[in-house]
Amino acid sequence: MTATRAPKLGERVVAPFGRRSCEITRNLASGGYRIFSALDAAGPEPAAGQFYMLAADSGWGGDEGRPYLARAFSVADAERESGGVRLDFLVQAIGPGTSRLAALEPGEGLWIHGPLGRPFAAPRDVSPDAAGAILIGGGIGVAPLALWRRRLQRAGIPARVLLGFRDQENSGGLDLFDCSEIRLASEDGHTGHRGYVTDLLGVLLEGDDASSAAVYACGPPAMLEAVRVMCADRGVACELALEAPMACGFGACFGCAIPLADEGYMRLCVDGPVVRGDEVETALVKGSGH
Ligand SMILES: Cc1cc2nc3c(=O)[nH]c(=O)nc-3n(C[C@H](O)[C@H](O)[C@H](O)COP(=O)(O)OP(=O)(O)OC[C@H]3O[C@@H](n4cnc5c(N)ncnc54)[C@H](O)[C@@H]3O)c2cc1C
Ligand code: FES
């Protein structure tokens, strides 16, 4: 299992220096999103919850301007193959950077920097009594949970998966999960429970075994804040994979600073993006979510 000990706040994961060039090996539709893969010949295997800064090596910046800076992406799956580590990313095209990445074709080049940031910690490191995990994802935030579920499964740790989407257009990524025991919710009712995915979490947290599970969440800020509050009210430990606007990804620009629960700030790119629910004042991060 990759994450066996909960990194403490301020304890940083060191990434390989500099950016590396990779080749795109596939790009396929997954509902309203796309999954593209790149072969990283020289990098280490990432841990679930970590992210990469990505930029296409053509059609990026130059005379046309945007997209200029690399964009932050959670790793959605990773597998060592002959020739390197296959990295899968799930993308929702919402602006110039994500649209260019969503259009990458096999054979094109991709600049990657990473794996970066603090990953998910094993359930027993999040809560000593935790025998299993509850993974809850919303929208494009399902990405890091796919890799986390695989790693938990490999370690023989039971995980229940709850995924929610706004509507059919803003849904996808289920191909990454390759399992049948997912519970789904959608606000428009096109699949699963009609309503919020946090409704499903509420039911699970009412159960007797709730206190023996650690909750892991990634999704839009409002969903993450609801999860944080629900877990805090019930005394259930949780980790949240947060987003903030990230210009550099390695601690230099301070653009991703968010308030700590006690006092002061953390830089989400190096102290997160995965944080414990009780470490932050709120999951409603300004400038994040779409
Ligand atoms: C740690 C981390 C992991 C991420 N993982 C993924 C992923 O797996 N898949 C994916 O599709 N996206 C992911 N994102 C979000 C992605 O980085 C942004 O959507 C992207 O930078 C937007 O770039 P753009 O040029 O397409 O759009 P822009 O023109 O830069 O932004 C378009 C809209 O998105 C909003 N936005 C800008 N940056 C962010 C941001 N960082 N987070 C949320 N909203 C933003 C803006 O307010 C604006 O409304 C992640 C972000 C972070 C910080
Ligand atoms: S993105 Fe630059 S300091 Fe975090």
Side-chain angles (χ1 to χ4, degrees):
M1 176 122 176
T2 311
T4 50
R5 191 173 64 83
K8 300 206 169 29
L9 190 59
E11 199 175 74
R12 305 214 165 111
V13 181
V14 178
F17 183 74
R19 61 178 191 167
R20 305 185 290 287
S21 177
C22 297
E23 185 175 319
I24 296 295
T25 53
R26 66 170 186 167
N27 182 338
L28 35 100
S30 180
Y33 307 153
R34 297 199 73 85
I35 299 167
F36 62 93
S37 308
L39 191 66
D40 180 8
E45 265 190 78
Q50 288 194 291
F51 69 99
Y52 290 78
M53 298 300 288
L54 304 182
D57 84 350
S58 65
W60 197 272
D63 292 341
E64 279 134 44
R66 300 191 77 218
Y68 184 68
L69 298 168
R71 300 302 199 256
F73 271 76
S74 305
V75 58
D77 201 1
E79 204 64 61
R80 192 163 283 285
E81 295 182 345
S82 66
V85 178
R86 191 199 77 239
L87 302 172
D88 291 348
F89 299 99
L90 185 68
V91 58
Q92 182 174 28
I94 51 140
T98 46
S99 298
R100 175 65 188 105
L101 293 168
L104 282 168
E105 288 182 15
E108 283 200 84
L110 177 73
W111 287 107
I112 70 166
H113 185 187
L116 298 164
R118 175 180 163 190
F120 292 120
R124 278 197 197 281
D125 292 319
V126 177
S127 166
D129 295 333
I134 299 173
L135 279 48
I136 172 166
I140 194 70
V142 306
L145 301 179
L147 178 57
W148 190 219
R149 186 199 147 268
R150 271 185 208 275
R151 296 275 165 93
L152 289 168
Q153 190 182 34
R154 204 179 289 172
I157 297 173
R160 284 167 287 182
V161 183
L162 314 173
L163 303 180
F165 300 98
R166 196 187 315 158
D167 51 32
Q168 193 137 21
E169 196 189 334
N170 292 284
S171 72
L174 296 181
D175 314 82
L176 289 163
F177 284 84
D178 144 45
C179 65
S180 51
E181 71 274 15
I182 300 176
R183 284 186 227 174
L184 295 170
S186 57
E187 288 171 51
D188 68 347
H190 78 276
T191 185
H193 161 76
R194 179 189 285 270
Y196 293 126
V197 68
T198 46
D199 301 341
L200 303 178
L201 180 66
V203 173
L204 278 190
L205 294 186
E206 293 307 320
D208 293 341
D209 56 349
S211 57
S212 67
V215 172
Y216 300 89
C218 186
M223 185 208 100
L224 290 176
E225 180 61 4
V227 172
R228 188 187 70 80
V229 171
M230 285 169 85
C231 289
D233 287 351
R234 292 164 174 82
V236 176
C238 71
E239 283 197 331
L240 312 170
L242 297 180
E243 274 189 28
M246 290 188 183
C248 71
F250 47 80
C253 72
F254 284 69
C256 63
I258 63 161
L260 287 164
D262 298 336
E263 61 177 53
Y265 288 80
M266 72 161 88
R267 282 167 295 168
L268 204 60
C269 64
V270 285
D271 296 319
V274 175
V275 301
R276 274 204 336 264
D278 60 3
E279 283 171 350
V280 290
E281 190 181 86
T282 173
L284 296 170
V285 178
K286 285 203 181 81
S288 73
H290 51 265

